[in-house]
C-alpha cells in the first residue's frame, strides 16, 4: 500500500480515538481566547474603591493585644464606610472596629449584605445571602465558612465573603462558570479541575500530537495532483 | 455535501495545520512538566505559622498613618526577616517603615539575599542580588524595583524579591522557562507571553474549531460499521476483476467492510491514487458490472453524471459487498512492471522528442492508439550538460533557465501516450515527450522530473514502465472524424490517424493541429505526405504566433474553416488532446455547437 493510504488510515483511526477530545479542546480553547480574561475574572463586576484611611484616632496596639492575648499582627483597612482592624491571633483572625474596638466578626447577614452591595458594580438587588459551611465546586479552594451573596442579574453574579475579615474571596458569574466548565474538558481533570499533570491528559495529548502529525502528513497527499504527461 | 466538507477541511487544515501541531505539542509538554516544579515548589522552604507576639512598644498604627504624609489604603504588620515593620499600601505602591522608629526601610541587597535564602531549600548557592528597575519577562506583571537572586542549582532557580516590600514575587527555574516557551507557543503571544485574547489566536482557534467539527463529520462519514469487526469474523466476499474488454483477469477474496480499493490493495493490485483512498483525487475509478450501488456525493463529484450512469464508481468509496464483478481499465497492468530498451531517440522539435522502446515482452492487443504508459522514473542526478540535443537546437536550449544540476530524489511515475500503433513498428513502443522546463525565471518550479529523465535517455538504456492505461480510444464504426490537438497531444492523435488509415478507412478524417511556431510543430512532413496519399485525410497546421500565417488558435480556425459550415456535424466524432487551456476552449466550442458528449473523446493529460 502507498504511504498516502497509511497516512489516511492512521489519521482515521487515531481520529476515532481522540476526535471528540480534539473537538472539545478546540471548542473550549476558542471560548477561552474569545472572552477577555478580565471579564472572566469579573473585574468589572465587583471591586473595592481606593479610598484612603481617615486620620481619625484608633485603637492602640497595646489595647488590641489586651483584647486578643497572643496577637501576632494586624491589618488596618477600610470596610464599607468604617475603618476596621483585622487582628491575627491564635492562628485565626478577628475583625474589630478601629475606633471603638467593637467586635465585628463573624460578620452577620446584614453586614455581609452591606459589604457585598458596596463591592458590587451592577444595579441588581441581592437575590439570596447564605452562610455556607461546605464550599461548592466553584470556590473549592477557599476556607469555610463563607458568606455567599447572590445577585439577581442576568449573569448570576455571586460574591463570596469571609465572615472573619469581610474580604471578598471570590467573585463568580456565568461566564466564569462556563470558562471553568470548559477548562475541565481542556485539561481533562473532571474532579478538581486543577491538575494539569493527570495521566489521562498526558496520554490524550500524546495521541493528539500524533494525530496532528498524521493530519499534516496527510495534507501532503491531499494537495498533490496527478503529474502531467 | 461530504466532498465540500472534505475540501474545506483540507484547505483550512493547510492554514491551521502547523498551529495544530504546535498546540498539541506544547499542550503535551505542559502536561508532562510537573506543575509543582514549574511553580518552584520543590525549592521552597516550608513556612511555619508566625507565633511571635507583636511588640506592644512599637509605634501605634495611627502614628504610622500620620507619619506617612500621603494617602494610605491599608496598613499591615510584617516581619522583614526579624524586624517588625509596617507595610503601607496605596493603589499599586507599597512601602515599609520600621514599626518602632517609623523610618523608611529600604530592602537592600543584603536583605534581599537573606529573604531569598530563607525561602529556599536545596543545594544551590545564591549569587549577588541584581537590582532591576522594572520587571523583566520572567517577572512580568509586577511593579519594580525588584531584586533578582540566582541560585547555582541543577534547575537554575531564580528568586525575585520585591525591593518595595521584601515579598518573594516569583520562583523561577529551568522547568518554568521551558514551560513558559511552550506556553508562549500555545497562546501565540510571542512578545508578552501572557495575552491569550488577541485576534490571531482567536482566528486560529476558530479555524481549528471548524477543522475539528468537519473532522468529526468526516469521521462519521468515512467509517463503515463492519470495520469495527475483526476481519476473520466478517463474511468473506469474492471480487472478480475484469479488463475493459471483458476478460477475467483475477478473482480475489476479501472481507465485508473493505472497500474495493483496500481489497485490491491487499492483493497487490494498486489502483491509481494520489490521496491513498480518501475520495479526494478521483483516480481510482472502476466500472461495476451488473447493478451498481447508488452513487455517493464523492462519485458524482469526481466522475461526473455520465460516467456514474455508466456504472463507474470510486473504488475507495465502493464497499466490496456492493460489487461482485468490476472492470478496471488496463487491469492487467496493475501488477506488472515491464522493461524496454531504448532503440532510438529523435529530437522532432527542440522540445518534443520521440523515444522508441523495444519491449522485453511483446505488447499485447491492449496497446491501442490513445492508451498511455506509466514510465517509472527512477531517482537520478546529472548535470545540465548531460541532456544531449542536436546542433540546430542549440539556441533554443541556451535560452532556457535551467539549474546546473537536475535531480530527482525518489521514484515517480509519469504518463506518456503511444505516438504510433505498435503494429506499425514491429511491436515497438513509440513515445513523444515534451520537455517541461519548469517556470522560467521564477526559479520556483524545477524542470519536469519525467521529461528530464526521458531527455537523458540514450539508445541502449533500459526503461521500466507499466500499462497501458486509459480510456481514450477510437470508437468502432466509420463516422467522419475530426481530430483537434496541440503540443504533445500530437502523440495519441497521430497513433489513431495512422491506425485508421492503415486499416483502409474510407471516412473523412480531419486533423487540426495547433502550435505557436513552425519550429515547434512535429511530424509536419509526415502528415503532409499522409494527406497526399489518402484523399479522405486532410491535415491543417495552425500556427498562432507566426506573423504571416496567424489566424488565431487551433479551435478558432477549425471552427471558421470547417465546423461552422459543416452540413452534418451531428454525424461526426471528435478526438481532442492537448494542453489544458486548448482542451477546455475546444470542449466549450463543441458544447456551443451542441455536439452530444458521447461523440467527443478527449485525453486531458490527467492534469
Amino acid at each position: 500500500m502507498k504511504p498516502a493510504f497509511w497516512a489516511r488510515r492512521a489519521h482515521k483511526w487515531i481520529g476515532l480515538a481522540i476526535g471528540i477530545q480534539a473537538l472539545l479542546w478546540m471548542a473550549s480553547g476558542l471560548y477561552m481566547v474569545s472572552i477577555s480574561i478580565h471579564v472572566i475574572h469579573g473585574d468589572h463586576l465587583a471591586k473595592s474603591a481606593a479610598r484612603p484611611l481617615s486620620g481619625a484616632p484608633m485603637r492602640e496596639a497595646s489595647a488590641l493585644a489586651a483584647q486578643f492575648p497572643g496577637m501576632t499582627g494586624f491589618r488596618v483597612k477600610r470596610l464599607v464606610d468604617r475603618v476596621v482592624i483585622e487582628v491575627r491571633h491564635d492562628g485565626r483572625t478577628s475583625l474589630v472596629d478601629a475606633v471603638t474596638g467593637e467586635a465585628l466578626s463573624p460578620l452577620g447577614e446584614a453586614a455581609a449584605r452591606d459589604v457585598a452591595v458596596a463591592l458590587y458594580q451592577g444595579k441588581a438587588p441581592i437575590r439570596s445571602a447564605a452562610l455556607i459551611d461546605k464550599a461548592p465546586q466553584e470556590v473549592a479552594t477557599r476556607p469555610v465558612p463563607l458568606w455567599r451573596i447572590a445577585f439577581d442579574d442576568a449573569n448570576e453574579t455571586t460574591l463570596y465573603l469571609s465572615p472573619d475579615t469581610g474580604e471578598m474571596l471570590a467573585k463568580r458569574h456565568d461566564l466564569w462558570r462556563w470558562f471553568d466548565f470548559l477548562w475541565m474538558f481542556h485539561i481533562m481533570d473532571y474532579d478538581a479541575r486543577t491538575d494539569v499533570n493527570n495521566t489521562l491528559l498526558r496520554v490524550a495529548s500524546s495521541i493528539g500530537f500524533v494525530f496532528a502529525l498524521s493530519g499534516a502528513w496527510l495534507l501532503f497527499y491531499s494537495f498533490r495532483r496527478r503529474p502531467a504527461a | 455535501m461530504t466532498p465540500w466538507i472534505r475540501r474545506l477541511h483540507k484547505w483550512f487544515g493547510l492554514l491551521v495545520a502547523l498551529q495544530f501541531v504546535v498546540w498539541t505539542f506544547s499542550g503535551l509538554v505542559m502536561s508532562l512538566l510537573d506543575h509543582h516544579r514549574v511553580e518552584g515548589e520543590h525549592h521552597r522552604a516550608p513556612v511555619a505559622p508566625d507565633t511571635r507576639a507583636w511588640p506592644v512598644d512599637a509605634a501605634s498604627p495611627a502614628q504610622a498613618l500620620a507619619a506617612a504624609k500621603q494617602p494610605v489604603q491599608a496598613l499591615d504588620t510584617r516581619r522583614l526577616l526579624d524586624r517588625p515593620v509596617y507595610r503601607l499600601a496605596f493603589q499599586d505602591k507599597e512601602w515599609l517603615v520600621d514599626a518602632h522608629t517609623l523610618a523608611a526601610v529600604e530592602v537592600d541587597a543584603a536583605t534581599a539575599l537573606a529573604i531569598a535564602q530563607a525561602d529556599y531549600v536545596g543545594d544551590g548557592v545564591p549569587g549577588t542580588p541584581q537590582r532591576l528597575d522594572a520587571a523583566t519577562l520572567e517577572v512580568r506583571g509586577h511593579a519594580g524595583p525588584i531584586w533578582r537572586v540566582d541560585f547555582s542549582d541543577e534547575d537554575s532557580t531564580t528568586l525575585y524579591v520585591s525591593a518595595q516590600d521584601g515579598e518573594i514575587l516569583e520562583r523561577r527555574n529551568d522547568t518554568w522557562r521551558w514551560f513558559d516557551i511552550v506556553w508562549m507557543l500555545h497562546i501565540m503571544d510571542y512578545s508578552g507571553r501572557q495575552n491569550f485574547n488577541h485576534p490571531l489566536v482567536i482566528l486560529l482557534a476558530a479555524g481549528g474549531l471548524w477543522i475539528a467539527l468537519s473532522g468529526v463529520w468526516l469521521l462519521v462519514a468515512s467509517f463503515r460499521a463492519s470495520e469495527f469487526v475483526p476481519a476473520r469474523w466478517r463474511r468473506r466476499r469474492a471480487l472478480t476483476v475484469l479488463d475493459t474488454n471483458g476478460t477475467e483477469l483475477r478473482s480475489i477474496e476479501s472481507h465485508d467492510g473493505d472497500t474495493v480499493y483496500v481489497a485490491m490493495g491487499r492483493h497487490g493490485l494498486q489502483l491509481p491514487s494520489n490521496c491513498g483512498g480518501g475520495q479526494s483525487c478521483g483516480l481510482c475509478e472502476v466500472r461495476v458490472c451488473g447493478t451498481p450501488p447508488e452513487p455517493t456525493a464523492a462519485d458524482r463529484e469526481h466522475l461526473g453524471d455520465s460516467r456514474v450512469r455508466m456504472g463507474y464508481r470510486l473504488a475507495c468509496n465502493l464497499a466490496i459487498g456492493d460489487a461482485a464483478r468490476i472492470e478496471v481499465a488496463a487491469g492487467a497492468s496493475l501488477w506488472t512492471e515491464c522493461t524496454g530498451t531504448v532503440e532510438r531517440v529523435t529530437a522532432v522539435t527542440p522540445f518534443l522528442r520521440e523515444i522508441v522502446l523495444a519491449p522485453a515482452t511483446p505488447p499485447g492487443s491492449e496497446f491501442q492508439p490513445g492508451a498511455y504508459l506509466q514510465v517509472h522514473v527512477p531517482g537520478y542526478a546529472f548535470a545540465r550538460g548531460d541532456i544531449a540535443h542536436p546542433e540546430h537546437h542549440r539556441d533554443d536550449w541556451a535560452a532556457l533557465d535551467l539549474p546546473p544540476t537536475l535531480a530527482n530524489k525518489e521514484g515517480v511515475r509519469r504518463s506518456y501516450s503511444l505516438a504510433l500503433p505498435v503494429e506499425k513498428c514491429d511491436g515497438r513502443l513509440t513515445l513523444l515527450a515534451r520537455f517541461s522546463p519548469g517556470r522560467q525565471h521564477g526559479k520556483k518550479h524545477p524542470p519536469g522530473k519525467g521529461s528530464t529523465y526521458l531527455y537523458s535517455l540514450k539508445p541502449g538504456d533500459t526503461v521500466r514502465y507499466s500499462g497501458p492505461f486509459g480510456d481514450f480510444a477510437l470508437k468502432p464504426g466509420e463516422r467522419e472524424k475530426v481530430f483537434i490537438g496541440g503540443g504533445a497531444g500530437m502523440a495519441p492523435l497521430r497513433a489513431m490517424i495512422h491506425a485508421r488509415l492503415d486499416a483502409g478507412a474510407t471516412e473523412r478524417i480531419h486533423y487540426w493541429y495547433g502550435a505557436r511556431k513552425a519550429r515547434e510543430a512535429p511530424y509536419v512532413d509526415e502528415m503532409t505526405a499522409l494527406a497526399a496519399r489518402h484523399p479522405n485525410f486532410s491535415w491543417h497546421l495552425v500556427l498562432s504566433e507566426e506573423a504571416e500565417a496567424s489566424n488565431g488558435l487551433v479551435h478558432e480556425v477549425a471552427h471558421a474553416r470547417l465546423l461552422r459550415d459543416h452540413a452534418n456535424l451531428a454525424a461526426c466524432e471528435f478526438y481532442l488532446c492537448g494542453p489544458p487551456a486548448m482542451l477546455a476552449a475546444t470542449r466549450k466550442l463543441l458544447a456551443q455547437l451542441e455536439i452530444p458528449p458521447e461523440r467527443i473523446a478527449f485525453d486531458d493529460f490527467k492534469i
Side-chain angles (χ1 to χ4, degrees):
Chain A
M1 286 286 185
K2 309 178 76 163
F5 172 80
W6 294 114
R8 189 167 297 283
R9 175 166 258 213
H11 193 62
K12 195 170 122 173
W13 281 95
I14 302 171
L16 188 67
I18 203 73
I20 295 299
Q21 181 56 37
L23 179 61
L24 290 172
W25 273 327
M26 290 318 309
S28 55
L30 179 60
Y31 180 88
M32 291 189 284
V33 298
S34 301
I35 298 179
S36 166
I37 191 64
H38 302 299
V39 172
I40 299 299
H41 283 162
D43 299 347
H44 61 298
L45 291 173
K47 61 183 172 203
S48 50
R51 286 173 59 198
L53 301 172
S54 63
M58 63 177 74
R59 302 280 282 177
E60 295 293 325
S62 52
L64 292 171
Q67 194 175 350
F68 299 100
M71 177 182 80
T72 56
F74 55 86
R75 173 179 169 84
V76 184
K77 63 172 189 182
R78 187 176 275 283
L79 188 68
V80 194
D81 281 333
R82 57 174 149 189
V83 177
V84 297
I85 303 178
E86 284 171 34
V87 183
R88 297 190 285 277
H89 62 99
D90 306 317
R92 50 196 193 90
T93 308
S94 299
L95 197 65
V96 297
D97 185 287
V99 180
T100 64
E102 175 200 352
L104 301 174
S105 63
L107 250 53
E109 178 170 340
R113 281 173 175 264
D114 285 349
V115 173
V117 167
L119 290 166
Y120 181 62
Q121 302 292 304
K123 293 201 165 56
I126 289 172
R127 185 174 51 208
S128 70
L131 185 67
I132 52 176
D133 288 324
K134 208 164 163 287
Q137 163 86 37
E138 64 182 30
V139 282
T141 57
R142 306 298 195 275
V144 284
L146 280 171
W147 273 109
R148 181 176 65 198
I149 316 288
F151 286 85
D152 196 13
D153 56 16
N155 215 352
E156 301 201 44
T157 305
T158 306
L159 305 184
Y160 290 90
L161 308 177
S162 160
D164 294 332
T165 65
E167 289 289 312
M168 176 168 62
L169 297 184
K171 35 188 184 285
R172 299 290 180 249
H173 54 103
D174 284 347
L175 289 175
W176 184 95
R177 291 181 188 107
W178 271 105
F179 189 100
D180 189 56
F181 181 67
L182 293 169
W183 173 250
M184 171 181 83
F185 289 108
H186 208 74
I187 67 163
M188 305 180 81
D189 174 7
Y190 306 103
D191 299 326
R193 306 185 181 181
T194 51
D195 180 9
V196 295
N197 296 129
N198 66 77
T199 310
L200 182 63
L201 178 65
R202 285 175 170 179
V203 171
S205 53
S206 307
I207 299 172
F209 181 46
V210 177
F211 182 51
L213 287 178
S214 71
W217 181 27
L218 192 53
L219 275 179
F220 180 73
Y221 297 108
S222 297
F223 286 94
R224 273 203 332 189
R225 306 298 301 266
R226 186 162 172 176
Chain B
M1 182 150 175
T2 299
W4 274 102
I5 301 251
R6 189 180 305 281
R7 192 170 302 163
L8 290 172
H9 181 78
K10 197 169 92 170
W11 280 99
F12 271 90
L14 189 67
L15 295 172
V16 187
L18 181 63
Q19 185 55 33
F20 241 111
V21 174
V22 171
W23 272 329
T24 50
F25 172 76
S26 53
L28 173 61
V29 172
M30 288 191 286
S31 78
L32 293 178
L33 291 176
D34 181 2
H35 207 65
H36 194 252
R37 290 182 78 91
V38 170
E39 296 284 304
E41 297 291 332
H42 60 306
H43 282 305
R44 182 180 181 181
V47 188
D50 188 8
T51 54
R52 291 169 292 184
W54 182 255
V56 288
D57 60 340
S60 74
Q63 287 170 318
L65 289 177
K69 296 199 170 63
Q70 61 167 308
V72 173
Q73 223 171 317
L75 172 148
D76 223 337
T77 62
R78 278 280 195 286
R79 303 253 180 191
L80 187 67
L81 300 176
D82 284 330
R83 180 180 181 184
V85 295
Y86 285 121
R87 176 181 179 276
L88 300 105
F90 188 72
Q91 291 172 352
D92 291 343
K93 198 168 154 16
E94 293 128 14
W95 67 99
L96 301 178
V97 296
D98 186 281
H100 290 94
T101 66
L102 297 182
V105 173
E106 196 202 344
V107 181
D108 58 13
T111 311
L113 181 65
I115 291 170
Q117 274 177 309
D119 187 77
Y120 178 85
V121 285
D123 302 332
V125 177
T128 311
Q130 307 289 315
R131 189 182 162 93
L132 310 172
D133 287 326
T136 57
L137 197 57
E138 278 199 9
V139 68
R140 58 185 178 248
H142 295 285
I146 295 162
W147 289 103
R148 172 187 172 132
V149 187
D150 291 319
F151 285 77
S152 63
D153 56 22
E154 79 294 344
D155 239 2
S156 302
T157 299
T158 300
L159 298 185
Y160 289 93
V161 180
S162 167
Q164 292 192 49
D165 65 0
E167 293 289 310
I168 301 280
L169 297 177
E170 300 291 356
R171 299 173 180 86
R172 301 302 193 210
N173 53 56
D174 284 346
T175 312
W176 178 87
R177 292 181 184 103
W178 280 112
F179 184 94
D180 198 45
I181 290 171
V182 294
W183 168 250
M184 169 188 81
L185 296 173
H186 206 75
I187 65 167
M188 305 178 76
D189 176 8
Y190 306 107
S191 48
R193 301 190 183 181
Q194 56 182 355
N195 176 13
F196 52 81
N197 295 127
H198 56 91
L200 177 68
V201 71
I202 296 173
L203 195 72
L204 267 284
L209 180 61
W210 159 251
I211 293 290
L213 282 170
S214 56
V216 168
W217 172 292
L218 291 176
L219 199 63
V220 174
S222 58
F223 267 107
R224 290 164 203 273
S226 49
E227 282 184 76
F228 297 98
V229 180
R232 61 201 155 89
W233 293 350
R234 288 187 236 151
R235 245 181 90 185
R236 297 187 71 76
R237 295 275 189 181
L239 174 72
T240 306
V241 182
L242 296 94
D243 211 338
T244 37
N245 55 19
T247 318
E248 272 195 26
L249 294 171
R250 196 162 152 186
S251 275
I252 58 173
E253 269 209 341
S254 197
H255 313 276
D256 247 350
D258 280 352
T259 62
V260 168
Y261 178 85
V262 169
M264 290 180 70
R266 286 191 203 282
H267 291 83
L269 311 184
Q270 185 66 64
L271 286 169
S273 172
N274 280 341
C275 69
Q279 296 129 56
S280 191
C281 72
L283 291 177
C284 64
E285 62 171 31
V286 298
R287 200 178 76 79
V288 180
C289 307
T291 313
E294 275 297 298
T296 65
D299 290 327
R300 280 193 292 268
E301 164 86 8
H302 290 291
L303 302 176
D305 282 342
S306 67
R307 292 183 83 70
V308 163
R309 272 198 302 275
M310 288 160 74
Y312 284 91
R313 297 288 182 273
L314 295 178
C316 63
N317 197 24
L318 181 62
I320 191 166
D322 288 339
R325 292 164 71 83
I326 55 160
E327 273 182 18
V328 181
S333 315
L334 289 175
W335 56 91
T336 53
E337 181 184 272
C338 312
T339 57
T341 310
V342 178
E343 207 171 81
R344 199 171 68 243
V345 177
T346 314
V348 186
T349 73
F351 301 120
L352 282 172
R353 194 163 283 196
E354 184 183 281
I355 292 150
V356 178
L357 301 177
T361 48
S365 61
E366 69 275 20
F367 284 75
Q368 288 298 318
Y372 66 91
L373 308 181
Q374 283 198 332
V375 173
H376 301 191
V377 180
Y380 58 77
F382 48 78
R384 172 188 173 147
D386 291 347
I387 296 183
H389 51 77
E391 193 51 35
H392 59 280
H393 291 159
R394 174 207 284 272
D395 291 347
D396 303 273
W397 282 84
L400 290 187
D401 182 14
L402 293 180
T405 307
L406 300 159
N408 177 35
K409 285 207 186 83
E410 53 185 36
V412 293
R413 295 181 178 203
R414 291 291 186 263
S415 307
Y416 291 93
S417 295
L418 293 175
L420 266 187
V422 288
E423 299 81 15
K424 199 172 179 75
C425 36
D426 289 337
R428 287 176 186 73
L429 305 174
T430 311
L431 308 179
L432 183 67
R434 190 180 76 83
F435 186 74
S436 163
R439 196 177 303 136
Q440 288 294 293
H441 308 293
K443 288 277 188 190
K444 281 277 159 56
H445 204 276
K449 290 172 177 175
S451 64
T452 304
Y453 168 67
L454 287 185
Y455 273 58
S456 74
L457 292 176
K458 297 171 186 64
D461 289 347
T462 301
V463 172
R464 294 181 302 129
Y465 64 90
S466 48
F469 301 99
D471 49 21
F472 187 47
L474 284 166
K475 298 177 198 294
E478 301 198 339
R479 288 178 181 277
E480 182 174 346
K481 294 179 174 56
V482 181
F483 293 83
I484 303 177
M490 169 60 88
L493 303 184
R494 176 183 179 231
M496 288 173 162
I497 289 165
H498 274 285
R500 280 310 293 154
L501 295 178
D502 290 351
T506 54
E507 72 269 19
R508 286 284 296 137
I509 299 175
H510 313 263
Y511 186 12
W512 294 83
Y513 180 81
R516 287 184 302 177
K517 298 186 167 102
R519 243 183 119 58
E520 297 177 3
Y523 305 122
V524 175
D525 295 343
E526 178 186 310
M527 289 296 149
T528 310
L530 275 183
R533 203 169 340 128
H534 298 275
N536 60 327
F537 174 61
S538 57
W539 155 251
H540 312 273
L541 177 61
V542 180
L543 301 170
S544 60
E545 291 182 11
E546 291 288 12
E548 65 273 20
S550 178
N551 290 305
L553 299 169
V554 60
H555 67 284
E556 297 164 352
V557 179
H559 180 232
R561 302 242 196 99
L562 173 69
L563 307 177
R564 190 171 57 197
D565 301 321
H566 196 284
N568 192 6
L569 273 186
C572 296
E573 281 171 354
F574 293 84
Y575 296 87
L576 321 175
C577 187
M582 184 229 106
L583 200 60
T586 310
R587 291 179 64 196
K588 194 172 160 201
L589 170 72
L590 296 181
Q592 283 164 357
L593 294 172
E594 295 177 354
I595 312 288
E598 63 269 20
R599 290 284 157 74
I600 304 169
F602 62 91
D603 187 347
D604 58 1
F605 288 172
K606 308 293 181 236
I607 49 179

